[in-house]
Amino acid sequence: MTDQTVSMSSRLRQFRLSDKSFATAVSVGILVLMVIFLVIPAVSILLRSFVGDSGWGLENYTETLNSGRIRELVGNSLTVSAITAALAVSLAYVYAYSIQRTNVVFKSFLRIVVMTPLFAPSLVQAQGLIFLFGRNGAFNRFFGFDFDLYGFWGIVLANTLYTFPYAFLILSAALAAADARLYEGAVVMGAKPMRIFQAITLPSTRYGIAAACFVSFSLSITDFGNAIVIGGDFNVLATEIYNKVIGQGKFGLGAVIGVLLLAPAVISKLLERRIARGQHALITDGSKPLVIGINRSRDLAYGIYAYVVAGMFLAVPLIVLLASFVRLWPYNLSFTLKHYSFDVQNGAQPLWNSIVVALATALFGVVLVTIAAIVVQKFRTPLRGPISFLAILPTSIPGMVLGLGYVLAFNNPANPLNMLYGTFPLIVLLYIYYNHAQGFLITTTSLKQISSTFDEASTMLGGSQLRTLFKVTLPILWPTLVGVAVFFFMRAMVSLSAVIFLITPQTQVAAVSVLQLSDRGANNQAAAFSVCIMLIVLAMLLLARSVLWLAGAKNITLIR
């Protein structure tokens, strides 16, 4: 063996040793952050639920579970969420079918319209419904109707609008995959359209339906904004946590309700995963793409349905926009810009706070989920399993529960990180880890599409893992990371329930301002704040899309 060969082997061993140390250090660092900002807050909720006035024990559980009110609240939450899921999934299925399986015109427009709830805080749906159907809403005031919106059905309708986009995205993906051979065979055998739907289409999308049901149910049972704005005297578990913690300062009882709220979310997630394991591939190498034939009566019927639904989704933000430009809804409809002067406590500062927090969340969120995804997909360390598990754990933790966990964990003088409490950095970290799972899954999916031959070639040429990441992996991955950054920005601008317990007068954000203004009856100013939030999110989406278009990455989806 020549000296040159020995020298090359020695350098490769050094690179491998350096790579191993680097991978271990990064893995430990990312795992420590997950434990501090995800596991400890979740555990703090559980531990605090066992601490009553007389010390450790089941006092809080006994007081809560023996209360007739809590049984009523559980029943209310389950009923509202079940009906919401049924409505959202049923309506979204037909809407997705209209776009994927018919020749309805302007499909891109129809897709964008039903995504509007994603651009605003969840309570904007309740806001819009109140302006339309409330006691002083447009239909009651100007058309002589007598709708009683507040209460059970108000929450159901608002949550249906809120969860519809998530159900639509899942069902649209499920309906997009189809093997034309099955449909051709059914037609040859003389099957009617309804029979084909029952025998082929519906069974092939059952996993998508199940996933959409579980997602809609989880989002509804953990939503706080719609319930508190439009619920009236009808209370659910999410509003009860707020009342116990903010209104009464009973953190122990709030923690118990948090555990109760966590249970259905976790169960629905486990059921979704169990059902998904049984899914099989619908498209194989012998499949033929389904071509949508011309059927004027079918296309007309589905087109009417799609545009009626789209009209409902347009009506909500448009009525909120209109209310922001009138002096006093609905008594004085003269045009004014006074509500955009934000002559309220803190003025427009919450909007600027939200923008700064959202930008920081986007920047640091992308960094953290990318590192976590690289650790799981590229590094071969014993910590891959725990990191992968913790990375998707937030999908099972409601925002209000995690936010309360942050209060209990970091508003504790014994915690060395107590200095973070009441600051913007802690809010940024909460937003990052609350939305961590979605960003991680998107990034991991893109990493899986990058062949390992790039890493192997780099290693053979003597490149370290760090050099390979910066020279090979990240340049390929960057368009996806732009999409993930936009996702984090959007969620930080519109999320309400996760941050409601962490807000102080100095750290006020726009979504909370909307809630507080609505709560004290300043609906026009609340509408102006909502409009500003939606415009900021849309501006960021357009900016990111422009960057991707100029860079030639035109096929990246920014809303997932």
Side-chain angles (χ1 to χ4, degrees):
M1 185 179 295
T2 64
D3 292 341
Q4 185 177 1
T5 303
V6 172
S7 177
M8 177 64 73
S9 299
S10 176
R11 284 200 299 271
L12 284 175
R13 283 195 298 270
Q14 290 175 357
F15 276 128
R16 291 192 187 100
L17 180 61
S18 176
D19 282 347
K20 185 175 181 181
S21 301
F22 170 72
T24 301
V26 171
S27 300
V28 170
I30 208 73
L31 183 61
V32 167
L33 288 175
M34 287 180 173
V35 170
I36 294 174
F37 296 107
L38 187 57
V39 176
I40 291 179
V43 172
S44 297
I45 285 277
L46 183 61
L47 295 178
R48 186 65 179 83
S49 69
F50 289 102
V51 180
D53 295 335
S54 57
W56 287 86
L58 298 176
E59 177 184 344
N60 291 329
Y61 284 92
T62 302
E63 180 179 347
T64 301
L65 298 178
N66 286 339
S67 168
R69 176 175 173 79
I70 200 65
R71 290 192 289 270
E72 178 186 353
L73 292 172
V74 170
N76 289 349
S77 294
L78 293 176
T79 304
V80 164
S81 301
I83 295 178
T84 295
L87 286 174
V89 173
S90 300
L91 294 171
Y93 191 97
V94 181
Y95 196 87
Y97 190 93
S98 302
I99 290 177
Q100 296 293 350
R101 300 293 177 91
T102 74
N103 295 309
V104 172
V105 296
F106 302 119
K107 293 182 178 181
S108 295
F109 168 77
L110 292 173
R111 288 190 182 95
I112 293 173
V113 166
V114 295
M115 294 295 106
T116 53
L118 301 179
F119 305 153
S122 64
L123 59 82
V124 169
Q125 317 312 313
Q127 266 188 307
L129 288 174
I130 290 173
F131 285 132
L132 287 170
F133 304 110
R135 296 186 184 96
N136 288 313
F139 280 84
N140 286 350
R141 182 78 176 177
F142 305 121
F143 300 107
F145 289 92
D146 188 25
F147 291 115
D148 185 13
L149 183 69
Y150 297 93
F152 174 82
W153 285 110
I155 299 176
V156 168
L157 290 175
N159 282 352
T160 299
L161 292 175
Y162 168 54
T163 60
F164 184 100
Y166 299 92
F168 166 73
L169 288 172
I170 296 170
L171 295 170
S172 183
L175 286 163
D179 188 348
R181 296 175 302 173
L182 298 175
Y183 291 88
E184 291 171 356
V187 172
V188 169
M189 295 177 67
K192 300 296 183 182
M194 182 55 68
R195 177 61 179 164
I196 293 175
F197 175 80
Q198 293 174 342
I200 300 176
T201 305
L202 199 58
S204 67
T205 57
R206 64 185 182 274
Y207 299 108
I209 294 173
C213 285
F214 293 133
V215 169
S216 299
F217 181 88
S218 296
L219 288 171
S220 179
I221 202 169
T222 59
D223 179 66
F224 163 74
N226 284 326
I228 201 167
V229 170
I230 206 171
D233 295 330
F234 187 88
N235 291 299
V236 293
L237 287 173
T239 56
E240 187 68 6
I241 294 182
Y242 181 77
N243 293 332
K244 291 294 185 187
V245 175
I246 300 297
Q248 304 174 26
K250 296 181 178 180
F251 287 91
L253 297 180
V256 172
I257 299 173
V259 173
L260 294 178
L261 194 60
L262 183 63
V266 172
I267 292 172
S268 65
K269 188 65 182 178
L270 293 175
L271 287 173
E272 177 195 352
R273 286 175 170 267
R274 183 177 180 85
I275 292 174
R277 289 195 190 103
Q279 186 171 6
H280 60 275
L282 299 176
I283 303 298
T284 64
D285 54 0
S287 298
K288 293 173 58 178
L290 181 64
V291 178
I292 307 302
I294 297 175
N295 186 324
R296 296 187 182 279
S297 58
R298 177 204 64 194
D299 295 341
L300 177 61
Y302 279 101
I304 292 173
Y305 171 83
Y307 279 95
V308 168
V309 173
M312 294 168 55
F313 277 89
L314 275 178
V316 169
L318 287 179
I319 196 69
V320 172
L321 177 65
L322 174 63
S324 72
F325 287 115
V326 301
R327 288 193 177 275
L328 182 62
W329 180 273
Y331 306 105
N332 186 345
L333 300 183
S334 58
F335 177 82
T336 182
L337 293 174
K338 73 171 188 175
H339 304 303
Y340 287 90
S341 64
F342 301 122
D343 53 346
V344 293
Q345 184 181 7
N346 296 327
Q349 191 59 44
L351 272 174
W352 295 111
N353 291 345
S354 287
I355 293 172
V356 172
V357 166
L359 289 172
T361 302
L363 175 62
F364 294 107
V366 165
V367 171
L368 290 175
V369 299
T370 302
I371 294 174
I374 288 172
V375 166
V376 171
Q377 293 298 318
K378 299 293 185 180
F379 295 168
R380 299 292 183 266
T381 71
L383 300 179
R384 292 172 63 200
I387 290 174
S388 179
F389 171 76
L390 293 178
I392 61 174
L393 181 63
T395 58
S396 301
I397 304 178
M400 289 195 77
V401 176
L402 187 60
L404 180 56
Y406 268 58
V407 174
L408 298 176
F410 296 100
N411 189 22
N412 183 351
N415 189 333
L417 297 177
N418 173 252
M419 60 184 178
L420 289 175
Y421 188 75
T423 66
F424 286 116
L426 188 62
I427 293 175
V428 170
L429 288 163
L430 171 60
Y431 278 140
I432 290 172
Y433 283 99
Y434 173 49
N435 299 291
H436 189 279
Q438 294 90 332
F440 172 80
L441 291 172
I442 295 169
T443 308
T444 300
T445 301
S446 295
L447 275 173
K448 288 179 179 178
Q449 297 171 352
I450 301 176
S451 174
S452 59
T453 55
F454 291 108
D455 297 330
E456 295 169 359
S458 178
T459 301
M460 292 299 295
L461 293 172
S464 65
Q465 284 186 332
L466 186 61
R467 184 174 180 82
T468 303
L469 286 176
F470 281 100
K471 293 294 185 180
V472 179
T473 305
L474 293 181
I476 297 174
L477 197 63
W478 80 265
T480 296
L481 300 185
V482 172
V484 174
V486 171
F487 166 77
F488 273 116
F489 181 91
M490 179 175 67
R491 294 301 299 159
M493 284 297 302
V494 305
S495 292
L496 172 65
S497 60
V499 78
I500 190 66
F501 295 129
L502 288 183
I503 292 301
T504 68
Q506 292 73 37
T507 59
Q508 181 85 318
V509 294
V512 177
S513 291
V514 176
L515 172 64
Q516 293 176 344
L517 288 169
S518 296
D519 193 43
R520 67 170 185 251
N523 293 319
N524 296 90
Q525 291 175 321
F529 262 98
S530 297
V531 170
C532 289
I533 292 172
M534 289 187 280
L535 291 178
I536 290 168
V537 172
L538 286 173
M540 179 55 70
L541 284 169
L542 291 175
L543 176 62
R545 173 52 65 188
S546 299
V547 169
L548 291 172
W549 185 83
L550 291 173
K554 303 177 183 180
N555 297 320
I556 299 298
T557 302
L558 294 180
I559 300 175
R560 297 173 186 254

